[in-house]
């Protein structure tokens, strides 16, 4: 039997990380490897509630925003991630603690030490052993996620940039200025450079199948699985 591992997928808006996380989850189950898929914020009643609140409350202070994400994360770890790992499941997280460092730290300019402390508290010291960063130029990522519309800059000097028109008109980060997304990307790349044993940076402009195969190459090696095992079921871009 293969071992288990905690894997996370990170990336900016329009990077395709959700599709890749779900594809990996399905590919593992296709060869009878027990896997649990979770996403932030969500996958618990509290996480779902806070996700809806965050989407409907765009003018929230950056401090409150961070604490709500951390609350959702703490509940996710305690109720889903920790029990799944104890049961021998491989856990696949669509975003985890690195998102707060990139978005609230580099993007919102909250002190990184504060975020790292809150992350350690919320995660109970549980961190992914492998993190895939799907790296896409922010302008391309924003182009991918929808039609342009105006948004107000939240910080002095930030230019107005297009965001995403979600189905229900709910947005949080997509409408923020391009400069915000550039800071987020810089944050992710800095994290990856600082921990190359954990982070795998993948060019998010490659084809979906190419990215999936690259992800599988690393995961199958960690879990000691045949590299040609499983199949890829590509649905649509995300």
């Amino acid at each position: 039997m293969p071992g288990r591992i905690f894997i996370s997928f990170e990336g900016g808006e329009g990077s395709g990380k959700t599709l890749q996380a779900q594809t990996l989850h399905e590919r593992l189950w296709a060869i009878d490897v027990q896997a649990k898929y979770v996403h932030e914020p969500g996958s618990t009643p509290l996480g779902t509630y806070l996700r809806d609140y965050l989407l409907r409350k765009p003018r929230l202070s950056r401090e409150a925003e961070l604490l709500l994400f951390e609350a959702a994360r703490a509940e996710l770890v305690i109720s889903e991630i920790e029990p799944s790992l104890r049961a021998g499941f491989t856990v696949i997280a669509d975003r985890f603690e690195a998102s707060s460092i990139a978005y609230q730290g580099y993007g919102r300019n909250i002190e990184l030490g504060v975020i790292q402390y809150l992350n350690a508290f919320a995660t109970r010291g549980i961190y992914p052993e492998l993190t895939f960063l799907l790296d896409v130029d922010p302008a391309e990522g924003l182009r991918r996620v929808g039609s342009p519309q105006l948004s107000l800059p939240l910080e002095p000097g930030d230019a107005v940039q297009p965001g995403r028109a979600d189905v229900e008109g709910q947005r949080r980060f997509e409408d923020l200025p391009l400069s915000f997304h550039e800071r987020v990307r810089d944050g992710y790349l800095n994290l990856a450079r600082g921990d190359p044993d954990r982070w795998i940076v993948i060019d998010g402009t490659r084809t979906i199948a190419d990215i999936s195969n690259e992800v599988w190459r690393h995961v199958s090696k960690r879990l000691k699985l045949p590299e040609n095992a499983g199949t890829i079921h590509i649905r649509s871009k995300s």
Side-chain angles (χ1 to χ4, degrees), residues 22-212:
Q22 292 173 344
T23 299
L24 175 61
H25 178 245
E26 293 175 6
R27 192 167 186 175
L28 287 169
W29 273 110
I31 57 172
D32 297 321
V33 175
Q34 293 180 315
K36 176 75 173 180
Y37 169 82
V38 298
H39 64 91
E40 283 200 346
S43 296
T44 69
L46 177 63
T48 300
Y49 174 83
L50 291 177
R51 178 184 181 86
D52 182 67
Y53 180 82
L54 285 161
L55 287 171
R56 294 181 183 276
K57 186 70 174 177
R59 293 296 179 180
L60 198 64
S61 71
R62 61 180 189 169
E63 292 84 0
E65 178 186 81
L66 170 62
L67 291 172
L68 290 180
F69 277 117
E70 295 290 359
R73 182 169 299 131
E75 184 66 10
L76 181 64
V77 168
I78 292 170
S79 64
E80 297 291 338
I81 293 177
E82 198 170 29
S84 295
L85 290 172
R86 282 201 307 266
F89 280 63
T90 283
V91 174
I92 302 164
D94 179 357
R95 296 202 183 282
F96 198 57
E97 96 298 345
S99 284
S100 288
I101 296 174
Y103 277 80
Q104 281 74 50
Y106 285 85
R108 299 288 202 197
N109 295 312
I110 295 178
E111 184 181 345
L112 295 182
V114 171
I115 299 175
Q116 289 163 346
Y117 174 83
L118 291 173
N119 276 344
F121 179 73
T123 65
R124 298 160 68 95
I126 297 174
Y127 293 97
E129 298 151 77
L130 185 62
T131 295
F132 292 101
L133 171 59
L134 273 63
D135 181 45
V136 175
D137 180 85
E140 167 63 15
L142 292 176
R143 185 195 65 77
R144 288 180 176 187
V145 295
S147 59
Q149 52 184 294
L150 294 179
S151 63
L152 296 176
L154 298 188
E155 300 175 31
D158 280 340
V160 174
Q161 294 293 335
R164 174 169 73 187
D166 289 321
V167 174
E168 299 178 0
Q170 296 180 341
R171 299 172 301 279
R172 179 147 200 92
F173 296 112
E174 296 93 335
D175 278 350
L176 296 185
L178 181 60
S179 58
F180 170 87
H181 295 281
E182 289 171 340
R183 293 194 299 271
V184 169
R185 184 192 190 192
D186 288 343
Y188 274 131
L189 292 173
N190 283 339
L191 287 170
R193 283 191 290 267
D195 192 359
D197 291 334
R198 167 184 163 182
W199 288 76
I200 304 294
V201 181
I202 299 178
D203 180 357
T205 64
R206 294 165 60 186
T207 68
I208 295 172
D210 281 349
I211 294 171
S212 295

